[in-house]
């Protein structure tokens, strides 16, 4: 599916159907997520009701993120989360959200032509933990109606920079405006606010209690127009009422000594507030009120931004390498601030090394990469030296000092954020915009705070990448650089490091040419992931090679190598399978020291697991004995040796996985060994969360020549 960016035309039917879905299901709010163009990411394009604030940190969700909405798309089913504790248990990464009881339903938008995305619905503080069959049908029906709208559209709906706010189209009863105003004026300190918190109506009595003229309050946010309400705690009270749709009451001190009681009554269109005088020790009136968090007075950003900052902090704690950090910035930080580009730079030997970027073409990056710290092309060097962020809202602000910057970057506004950790500058993150952008005090504060999180994540990531590169280089040096040419035998070997974890593994393989018609194939795995495991792997490989070339049989090779391990006095164990190949006799003899059995595919396609006598892992008992068996190796046969990383997966049965691999080999007779190895490793590389290395050795004997 392809969804064009920055195109808001033709969205009216989609918006109307979204509002209808919220009203039809009785949800507090809803949203439509669509798959982005060219990338596996869900983008929130429209939001309705109380969902807008909750969805702030989740406007872009990679399909790899565990969330109800992504599960619904990937599994093609309705996903229901009935309670807050269920959300914590099933989706721990999404618990950075307001502390309100909620229920969530996510249903895929599977249209007749393709999968568009998903519908998300939220019920706040009131829905039972279980969803009824009738409600399931209503949600699924709403998703089908939305999918039909998408199917019938002349062009795919646009993906705006920010989600569209869709109003709930409830029609209020007709009444006389003057009568309504007279009634409101009779209320004791009444005022009204919209869903954004702006004051839309205020009585004379309410204005008097607040100490402002009505025209100084209308259209303003209370916490902006009244300094003594400039505390996120009071904004959070309002937000609690909007989100939960339940009354909230609290007391507030109007300086110097006037206590006021504020009662908030929410509905779908906004808040009705009653303000009345109260003594400092007077109890608040009895209301079915919702407890709102008490946030200490501070001058930081609004509560919505605080939620977003905490969410981003959680995302950065999960990053491992530099590219992971870049993905979080590009996938979550840029959309959150409406930015278009990012450059991540680190000082390196007096130069500015660009380690990651998004939204820039390679020609511009080549110009900026490797510049001196005191370059006049960009403020990055100055920001790194001073540790003070720099914000430029339009080209005229940066040109006097850095006249070439706008032309080189191709952008119109920039935020240069120094990345400081432990008192030292580890890099600079540049957030940029295609058009002029006025940085509000709120944005500057959040971006400055965010720079500290990015700096810590980048510092950890660079250390991880350096250690991983060193460990990987060590392991590659210990593995064969190339397989020897053996007449009558086609061979291919592959090695794939684990997708998680920093330490190197102990998987190894070898193909040893013994003479013109015999060879030895070896596959093994040293316990653990560490430099020690890699070093032991190299020693084991050398020992096996020495015993094999000395003419030892398979069982002798394993027994002698096992004794060598005993002399090393190591605490690590080693599994190994050794196969002696006699190509002239079309036979092979194999022995195993606790390793996975090889797979044999015969020329007619029959594929089987080679049953070997179970042998003890090497390194446990110096006196252990091993047995070997003879197996046929006719012309055109394929022998596959591998480590457990290829077939092990959490929650699956190892034997079943080996059987599936045998079935796959049976159905791929037309592929050569190199293609087979690449295909197998390609499938493994796509598996998320692999925590073990993979070694693979594919051997195929030459088939008989066709008869003349």
């Amino acid at each position: 599916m392809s969804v064009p960016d920055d195109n808001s035309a033709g969205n009216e039917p989609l918006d109307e159907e979204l509002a209808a879905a919220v009203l039809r299901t009785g949800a507090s709010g809803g949203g439509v997520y669509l798959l982005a163009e060219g990338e596996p990411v869900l983008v929130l394009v429209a939001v309705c009701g109380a969902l807008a604030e909750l969805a702030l940190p989740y406007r872009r969700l990679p399909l790899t993120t565990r969330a109800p909405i992504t599960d619904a798309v990937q599994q093609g089913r309705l996903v229901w989360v009935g309670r807050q504790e269920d959300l914590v248990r099933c989706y721990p990464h999404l618990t950075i959200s307001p502390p309100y009881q909620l229920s969530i339903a996510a249903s895929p938008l599977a249209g007749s032509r393709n999968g568009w995305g998903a519908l998300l619905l939220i019920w706040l503080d009131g829905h039972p933990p279980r969803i009824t069959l009738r409600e399931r049908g209503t949600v699924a029906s709403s998703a089908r109606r939305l999918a039909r709208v998408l199917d019938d559209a002349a062009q795919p709906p646009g993906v705006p920079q920010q989600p569209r706010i869709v109003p709930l189209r409830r029609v209020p009863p007709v009444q006389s405006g003057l009568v309504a105003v007279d009634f409101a004026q009779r209320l004791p300190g009444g005022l009204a606010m919209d869903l954004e918190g702006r004051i839309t109506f205020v009585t004379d009595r309410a204005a008097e209690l607040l100490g402002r003229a009505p025209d100084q309050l209308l259209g303003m946010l209370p916490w902006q127009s009244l300094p003594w309400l400039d505390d996120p705690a009071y904004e959070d009270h309002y937000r609690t009422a909007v989100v939960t749709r339940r009354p909230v009451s609290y007391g507030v001190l109007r300086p110097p000594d006037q206590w006021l009681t504020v009662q908030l009554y929410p509905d779908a269109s906004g808040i009705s507030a009653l303000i009345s005088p109260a003594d400092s020790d007077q109890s608040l009136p009895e209301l079915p009120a919702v407890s709102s968090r008490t946030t200490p007075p501070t001058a930081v950003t609004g509560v919505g931004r605080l939620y977003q900052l905490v969410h981003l902090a959680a995302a950065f704690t999960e990053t491992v390498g530099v590219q992971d950090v870049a993905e979080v910035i590009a996938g979550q930080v840029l959309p959150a601030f409406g930015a278009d580009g990012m450059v991540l730079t680190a000082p390196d030997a007096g130069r500015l090394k660009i380690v990651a970027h998004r939204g820039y073409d390679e020609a511009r990056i080549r110009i900026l990469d490797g510049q001196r710290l005191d370059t006049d092309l960009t403020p990055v060097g100055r920001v790194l030296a001073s540790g003070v962020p720099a914000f430029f809202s339009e080209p005229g602000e940066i040109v006097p000092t850095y006249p070439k910057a706008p032309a080189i970057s191709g952008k119109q506004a920039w935020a240069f954020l120094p990345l400081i950790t432990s008192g030292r500058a580890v890099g600079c993150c540049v957030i940029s915009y295609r058009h002029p952008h006025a940085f509000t005090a709120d944005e500057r504060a959040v971006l400055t705070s965010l720079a500290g999180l990015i700096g810590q994540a980048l510092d950890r990531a660079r250390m991880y990448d350096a250690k991983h590169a060193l460990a990987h280089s060590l392991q590659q040096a210990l593995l064969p650089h190339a397989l020897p040419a053996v007449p009558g035998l086609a061979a291919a070997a592959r090695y794939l490091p684990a997708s998680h974890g920093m330490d190197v593994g102990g998987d190894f393989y070898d193909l040893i040419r013994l003479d013109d018609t015999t060879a030895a194939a070896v596959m093994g795995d040293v316990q653990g992931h560490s430099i020690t495991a890699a070093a032991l792997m190299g020693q084991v490989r050398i020992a096996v090679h020495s015993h094999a070339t000395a003419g030892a049989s398979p069982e002798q090779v394993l027994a002698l190598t096992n004794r060598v391990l005993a002399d090393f006095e190591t605490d690590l164990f080693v599994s190994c399978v050794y196969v002696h190949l006699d190509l002239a006799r079309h036979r092979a003899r194999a022995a195993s020291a606790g390793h996975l059995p090889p797979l044999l595919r015969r020329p007619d396609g029959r594929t089987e697991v080679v049953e070997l006598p179970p042998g003890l892992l090497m390194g446990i008992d110096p006196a252990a004995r091993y047995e070997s068996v003879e197996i046929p190796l006719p012309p055109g046969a394929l022998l596959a040796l591998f480590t457990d990383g290829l077939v092990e997966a959490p929650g699956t049965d190892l034997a079943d996985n080996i059987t599936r691999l045998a079935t796959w080999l049976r159905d791929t007779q037309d592929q050569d060994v190199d293609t087979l190895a690449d295909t197998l490793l390609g499938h493994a590389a796509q598996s998320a969360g692999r925590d073990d290395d993979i070694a693979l050795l594919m051997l195929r004997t030459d088939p008989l020549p066709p008869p003349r």
Side-chain angles (χ1 to χ4, degrees):
M1 202 217 84
S2 174
V3 179
D5 195 14
D6 297 328
N7 177 12
S8 58
N11 291 310
E12 292 82 2
L14 180 70
D15 294 351
E16 291 174 2
E17 194 55 55
L18 170 61
V22 172
L23 294 173
R24 189 182 304 118
T25 59
S28 304
V32 173
Y33 281 84
L34 297 182
L35 282 167
E37 181 179 9
E39 53 181 334
V41 175
L42 286 167
V43 181
L44 181 63
V45 299
V47 65
C48 186
L51 187 58
E53 185 64 38
L54 295 178
L56 180 63
Y58 311 113
R59 286 178 290 202
R60 287 174 61 90
L61 283 176
L63 284 177
T64 54
T65 302
R66 280 298 315 280
I69 198 78
T70 54
D71 281 357
V73 171
Q74 292 185 316
Q75 299 173 16
R77 64 178 181 87
L78 188 149
V79 175
W80 170 257
V81 181
R83 299 175 300 176
Q84 187 89 352
E85 45 267 43
D86 295 335
L87 187 68
V88 173
R89 185 182 69 256
C90 300
Y91 305 98
H93 299 164
L94 300 185
T95 56
I96 307 302
S97 61
Y100 314 125
Q101 285 298 323
L102 52 81
S103 300
I104 297 174
S107 182
L109 302 178
S112 61
R113 298 185 299 197
N114 42 35
W116 293 99
L119 166 67
L120 178 66
L121 296 169
I122 288 185
W123 289 260
L124 296 164
D125 196 28
H127 195 286
R130 295 185 179 276
I131 184 173
T132 65
L133 289 176
R134 182 187 184 94
E135 287 176 316
R136 281 184 174 272
T138 303
V139 173
S141 171
S142 298
R144 287 193 297 271
R145 294 169 65 121
L146 277 162
R148 282 198 296 270
V149 169
L150 294 166
D151 284 339
D152 296 340
Q155 61 179 6
V159 177
Q161 285 288 340
Q162 301 292 333
R164 297 186 303 278
I165 306 298
V166 179
L168 289 174
R169 302 185 182 280
R170 290 191 176 97
V171 180
V174 178
Q175 60 180 337
S176 167
L178 291 177
V179 171
V181 170
D182 289 342
F183 171 75
Q185 286 288 1
R186 291 194 294 269
L187 293 175
L191 61 82
M193 293 180 285
D194 62 18
L195 291 174
E196 297 298 322
R198 291 182 295 268
I199 297 176
T200 57
F201 179 84
V202 58
T203 64
D204 294 338
R205 177 56 176 160
E208 178 185 347
L209 289 171
L210 295 175
R212 285 285 191 274
D215 57 357
Q216 294 177 306
L217 296 171
L218 289 172
M220 301 293 293
L221 298 172
W223 39 89
Q224 291 180 349
S225 58
L226 301 169
W228 42 277
L229 284 178
D230 187 14
D231 181 339
Y234 300 127
E235 182 183 351
D236 202 16
H237 287 311
Y238 169 80
R239 200 176 310 277
T240 299
V242 170
V243 172
T244 64
R245 302 285 175 85
R246 295 182 62 187
V248 171
S249 61
Y250 58 94
V252 60
L253 177 64
R254 172 191 162 188
D257 55 5
Q258 176 64 62
W259 281 90
L260 301 176
T261 297
V262 180
Q263 303 171 51
L264 305 179
Y265 297 89
D267 63 16
S269 61
I271 294 283
S272 300
L274 293 179
I275 303 172
S276 58
D279 297 330
S280 59
D281 58 349
Q282 178 179 340
S283 299
L284 294 177
E286 291 295 327
L287 288 174
V290 175
S291 298
S292 179
R293 287 179 310 167
T294 300
T295 307
T298 177
V300 297
T301 64
V303 175
R305 282 295 194 198
L306 291 178
Y307 291 147
Q308 186 178 51
L309 186 59
V310 175
H311 168 74
L312 292 173
F316 279 117
T317 62
E318 298 178 356
T319 57
V320 177
V322 171
Q323 289 305 312
D324 295 332
V325 176
E327 290 298 331
V328 172
I329 298 174
Q332 301 193 41
V333 176
L334 296 189
F337 293 90
D340 308 300
M342 174 275 293
V343 176
L344 202 56
T345 306
D348 185 10
R351 300 280 179 175
L352 297 174
K353 178 66 176 178
I354 295 179
V355 297
H357 63 90
R358 296 291 189 276
Y360 288 82
D361 58 58
E362 292 297 332
R364 299 182 190 276
I365 295 299
R366 282 195 294 270
I367 295 174
L368 295 170
D369 193 19
Q371 291 290 331
R372 295 174 57 89
L373 287 173
D374 59 355
T375 178
D376 62 353
L377 298 182
T378 172
V380 170
R382 187 190 75 183
V383 168
L384 282 172
S386 66
V388 178
F391 299 90
F392 302 94
S393 298
E394 47 93 15
E397 296 180 4
I398 198 174
V399 164
T401 311
Y402 301 93
K404 300 178 183 178
I408 292 176
S409 71
K411 305 296 183 180
Q412 298 288 302
W414 305 262
F416 294 85
L417 308 174
L419 309 180
I420 311 295
T421 181
S422 300
R424 58 189 177 88
V426 298
C428 178
C429 181
V430 183
I431 306 295
S432 57
Y433 297 78
R434 286 197 298 263
H435 305 288
H437 177 84
F439 292 96
T440 65
D442 172 47
E443 286 179 317
R444 291 174 186 243
V446 175
L447 285 171
T448 302
S449 301
L450 201 56
L453 301 175
I454 298 174
Q456 294 176 21
L458 179 62
D459 195 36
R460 292 194 308 269
R462 296 189 73 192
M463 287 192 293
Y464 168 86
D465 286 346
K467 290 182 179 180
H468 189 271
L470 176 62
H472 183 64
S473 298
L474 171 63
Q475 186 170 43
Q476 290 299 314
L478 296 173
L479 290 171
H481 295 288
L483 298 179
V486 179
L489 188 69
R494 298 292 186 270
Y495 170 77
L496 184 66
S499 60
H500 293 300
M502 181 170 54
D503 291 324
V504 67
D507 293 19
F508 66 95
Y509 61 86
D510 210 347
L511 179 63
I512 307 167
R513 178 173 174 172
L514 302 176
D515 57 38
D516 289 342
T517 61
T518 61
V522 187
M523 180 65 62
D525 188 359
V526 179
Q527 173 193 24
H529 287 75
S530 64
I531 298 297
T532 302
L536 184 61
M537 174 264 285
Q539 293 170 316
V540 171
R541 180 172 166 257
I542 292 172
V544 170
H545 196 283
S546 299
H547 298 315
T549 54
S553 63
E555 60 270 23
Q556 291 174 330
V557 169
L558 296 183
L560 293 170
T561 304
N562 179 49
R563 292 175 192 169
V564 172
L565 276 177
D567 293 338
F568 292 159
E569 295 183 350
T570 176
D571 294 330
L572 301 179
F573 306 137
V574 181
S575 70
C576 184
V577 62
Y578 181 96
V579 183
H580 181 272
L581 308 169
D582 188 339
L583 301 175
R585 297 179 56 243
H586 305 300
R587 309 293 293 177
R589 180 164 287 275
S592 174
H595 198 79
L596 297 179
L599 296 178
L600 175 65
R601 188 181 71 193
R602 299 177 183 271
D604 60 4
R606 287 181 298 147
T607 305
E608 61 191 65
V609 178
V610 179
E611 297 295 341
L612 299 178
L616 197 63
L617 290 170
M618 294 189 294
I620 297 177
D621 179 8
R625 293 180 175 273
Y626 300 92
E627 299 179 30
S628 65
V629 296
E630 190 173 83
I631 56 177
L633 199 65
L638 175 75
L639 191 66
L641 291 80
F642 47 89
T643 56
D644 50 9
L646 183 66
V647 290
E648 274 191 339
T652 63
D653 183 78
L654 180 61
D656 290 343
N657 293 343
I658 294 176
T659 301
R660 279 192 288 269
L661 177 59
T663 303
W664 183 84
L665 286 175
R666 182 197 64 195
D667 298 334
T668 53
Q669 295 186 72
D670 56 338
Q671 297 184 15
D672 57 49
V673 289
D674 280 298
T675 304
L676 278 173
D678 289 337
T679 305
L680 263 179
L681 229 60
H683 287 308
Q686 297 172 7
S687 301
R690 287 185 304 100
D691 57 3
D692 202 358
D693 300 348
I694 296 173
L696 174 66
L697 181 60
M698 310 285 283
L699 306 170
R700 190 175 198 173
T701 57
D702 288 347
L704 290 172
R708 296 185 178 181

